Amino acid sequence: MKRNDVILLLVILCLGGIGLLFTRILRNQNGSFVRITVAGEVYGEYPLDKNQEITAEHGEWINIAVIENGSVFMREANCPDQYCVLHKKITKTNDPIVCLPHRLVVEIVRKSGGTMENAKENVDGVAE
Amino acid sequence: MTKIKRNKRLSVIVLVWLMLFLTAACAKSPDGTGEKDAAAESRTIFAMDTYMTLQIYGKQAKEAAEAVTAEIGRLERLLSTGNDASEVSFINREKTGILSKDTRELLQSSLAIYEDTHGAFDITVYPLMCAWNFTGEVPRVPKQEEIAELLPLVNASELTYEPQTGKLTLSGQQMIDFGGIAKGYTGKRLKEILMEYGISSAMLNLGGNVQLVGAKPDGSNWKIAVQSPDKTGYLGVAALSDCAVVTSGGYERYFTEQGVTYHHILDPKTGYPAQSGLSSVTVICADGTVADGLSTALFVMGTERAAAFWREHREEFECVLYTDTDELLVTAGLKDCFSSERSIQIIE
């Protein structure tokens, strides 16, 4: 047995370790994401720290959300009331931009290993 | 000999994989939420012209969520002015009819708040809401003559209601809308249903109207923030349980025409958007229906009248007022549970 077995064991442990590390890293992508949902279904999730423009198309409905310097706003939408476009930029969780006619929601979600959330944002709900 | 060796090797492999698998399984609950309370149900619903989020905790959370979702649909079909088949549309068309259980309760609450607030909340303001087209997609400023013509219709004391039979009769071309109170009532109804399912912890956010059932699952108070009118942050945060929190503000629905901004809370006395000096009113009350109706009424009444009204009804509700000049006023009952970075004036 001996040498080859030891090597095999080490290789397996290493592989396992790498695998575990990998899943940890994946899961612990700490930070904020922009989640877009249409009629309750997730359309996409985008890191809040990466500036980009997202065009969400759903049939003839179009909403263009812009992530800019840690905030999100709706640049354009072909909805009739335009309330989503008038909505101020959002930077926090619990403060979604809602396009009612298109049943589309842009919100900031936190993905973190646990509890390190900004205490100021640590509210359960917002009355508005 | 080789066989034993191979078995040993195999067992080592199996053991290692088992260990890894177990470690991964143990680490699976990443957020620490939900997993611990096996029965937590959260939902989002588009209904009643708004976006609703429901968080329900308890053994029967899933069944309870189904039941409240169905109830939201039922109440929407009953109360929506935009649906020709609704009971409210029927009354507005026929000008008379027998009300069902829910609309009776809504009417009685509406009339009580109308009287208590000397008409600052009035369900007969609906013809004016239509004239402004706040009910439609593109609001507009009606002509002055149009408002003058419709204003006499706005008078809930002209409604004839027979409590025994539930018969409601409108006067002339009057029309009613429970829009200013329906979400509060819905929250109250949903709470009753959740209690029937043994749910002792839930937060229902019906488009900014928050209905709390009990405390959080860990027994602590819910932290409910009040949106600041410019939407850049919060006016403050209240630690609360088992009550309704409803905010009325001119910042939620508005439009701009020729440089003037018009919001959707009409003063029943003038027919124009209320200009009372308040930009946001939050009412905290055990009864969701009252919280909803009062938040609109106090917004129309302005700081002085709102404060006087609270002094007369201090056992029934608490409120947070925010003025156009950035003053933040809070009634005495909230002194210990409302926190803010701004300076707060206490209404005693």
Side-chain angles (χ1 to χ4, degrees), chain B residues 14-336:
Chain B
V14 168
L15 200 73
V16 168
W17 277 112
L18 203 71
M19 270 167 57
L20 286 177
F21 178 76
L22 282 177
T23 326
C26 287
K28 209 182 171 183
S29 169
D31 298 327
T33 54
E35 237 84 3
K36 251 183 271 170
D37 320 288
E41 186 77 13
S42 47
R43 289 198 181 193
T44 59
I45 300 165
F46 284 92
M48 298 186 170
D49 278 332
T50 171
Y51 173 63
M52 306 180 169
T53 56
L54 315 177
Q55 281 171 44
I56 302 166
Y57 303 90
K59 273 193 191 124
Q60 283 185 279
K62 203 173 162 74
E63 294 85 346
E66 290 296 330
V68 294
T69 305
E71 180 70 359
I72 292 168
R74 186 185 73 82
L75 289 173
E76 181 172 34
R77 286 189 293 279
L78 192 71
L79 303 174
S80 167
T81 48
N83 171 4
D84 287 342
S86 76
E87 194 176 311
V88 171
S89 293
F90 176 85
I91 300 280
N92 284 339
R93 206 165 43 237
E94 303 297 324
K95 305 299 175 199
T96 186
I98 306 290
L99 301 184
S100 64
K101 186 175 164 288
D102 297 281
T103 37
R104 279 181 202 202
E105 197 177 328
L106 275 162
L107 185 82
Q108 280 165 349
S109 298
S110 303
L111 293 180
I113 298 170
Y114 168 80
E115 277 166 29
D116 281 353
T117 62
H118 302 287
F121 175 81
D122 193 330
I123 53 169
T124 61
V125 80
Y126 188 59
L128 276 167
M129 289 297 281
C130 295
W132 284 85
N133 204 26
F134 278 118
T135 49
E137 283 173 352
V138 186
R140 61 173 189 112
V141 184
K143 287 203 185 88
Q144 214 168 352
E145 305 87 73
E146 203 179 343
I147 289 177
E149 201 178 307
L150 293 172
L151 212 48
L153 297 177
V154 183
N155 185 353
S157 59
E158 294 276 309
L159 296 171
T160 312
Y161 178 61
E162 299 165 15
Q164 295 82 9
T165 58
K167 188 180 177 192
L168 173 70
T169 306
L170 312 184
S171 167
Q173 290 307 302
Q174 276 191 318
M175 288 199 282
I176 58 163
D177 176 20
F178 292 118
I181 200 170
K183 276 188 278 171
Y185 176 75
T186 303
K188 183 185 170 182
R189 275 291 302 142
L190 301 190
K191 184 186 167 186
E192 287 167 5
I193 292 171
L194 292 180
M195 309 271 285
E196 284 167 25
Y197 279 85
I199 302 295
S200 54
S201 177
M203 180 175 70
L204 314 171
N205 193 333
L206 314 181
N209 282 30
V210 178
Q211 173 72 57
L212 304 174
V213 179
K216 280 161 77 166
D218 65 7
S220 65
N221 283 322
W222 302 94
K223 288 186 197 138
I224 305 302
V226 176
Q227 182 75 261
S228 75
D230 63 8
K231 291 208 142 205
T232 53
Y234 304 138
L235 291 180
V237 179
L240 300 163
S241 63
D242 212 38
C243 62
V245 189
V246 181
T247 299
S248 283
Y251 58 89
E252 274 298 299
R253 282 189 190 182
Y254 60 89
F255 68 99
T256 306
E257 199 172 293
Q258 292 180 336
V260 184
T261 299
Y262 300 90
H263 64 74
H264 76 294
I265 304 176
L266 298 181
D267 183 340
K269 299 280 193 296
T270 65
Y272 283 89
Q275 293 196 327
S276 65
L278 286 173
S279 59
S280 159
V281 172
T282 301
V283 172
I284 294 144
C285 178
D287 186 316
T289 320
V290 175
D292 202 358
L294 277 188
S295 67
T296 309
L298 300 187
F299 184 90
V300 170
M301 288 157 85
T303 307
E304 292 307 314
R305 279 179 67 200
F309 184 83
W310 173 76
R311 288 186 189 106
E312 287 167 31
H313 301 82
R314 58 192 306 155
E315 300 300 315
E316 292 158 47
F317 74 96
E318 301 294 337
C319 63
V320 178
L321 310 176
Y322 190 67
T323 69
D324 291 340
T325 51
D326 298 328
E327 286 175 296
L328 181 62
L329 299 97
V330 170
T331 53
L334 292 174
K335 207 162 33 178
D336 298 326

Side-chain angles (χ1 to χ4, degrees), chain A residues 1-2 4-5 8-9 12-13 15-17 20 23-24 27-28 37-40 80-81 83 86-96 98-105 107 110-114 120-128, chain B residues 5 8-9 12-13 16-17 19-20 23-24 27-28 30-31 44 46-47 49-51 55 134 137-139 203 205 207-210 216 221-227 230-234 237 245-248 251-255 282 341:
Chain A
M1 79 167 274
K2 316 300 152 82
N4 281 351
D5 275 347
L8 182 68
L9 194 70
I12 289 173
L13 278 176
L15 278 178
L20 199 68
T23 52
R24 272 283 157 92
R27 204 181 42 234
N28 275 3
T37 52
V38 179
D81 63 21
Y83 285 129
L86 288 169
H87 199 291
K88 289 245 161 69
K89 288 179 180 181
I90 59 168
T91 55
K92 292 178 182 151
T93 58
N94 270 321
D95 185 19
V98 180
C99 179
L100 275 181
H102 292 177
R103 305 192 157 221
L104 179 138
V105 179
E107 60 190 329
R110 294 253 180 274
K111 287 192 173 176
S112 64
K120 236 167 71 183
E121 295 179 22
N122 194 9
V123 299
D124 301 303
V126 181
E128 54 189 326
Chain B
K5 230 190 222 176
K8 234 188 205 170
R9 200 177 281 171
V12 168
I13 293 174
V16 168
W17 277 112
M19 270 167 57
L20 286 177
T23 326
K28 209 182 171 183
D31 298 327
T44 59
F46 284 92
D49 278 332
T50 171
Y51 173 63
Q55 281 171 44
F134 278 118
E137 283 173 352
V138 186
M203 180 175 70
N205 193 333
N209 282 30
V210 178
K216 280 161 77 166
N221 283 322
W222 302 94
K223 288 186 197 138
I224 305 302
V226 176
Q227 182 75 261
D230 63 8
K231 291 208 142 205
T232 53
Y234 304 138
V237 179
V245 189
V246 181
T247 299
S248 283
Y251 58 89
E252 274 298 299
R253 282 189 190 182
Y254 60 89
F255 68 99
T282 301
E341 288 174 348

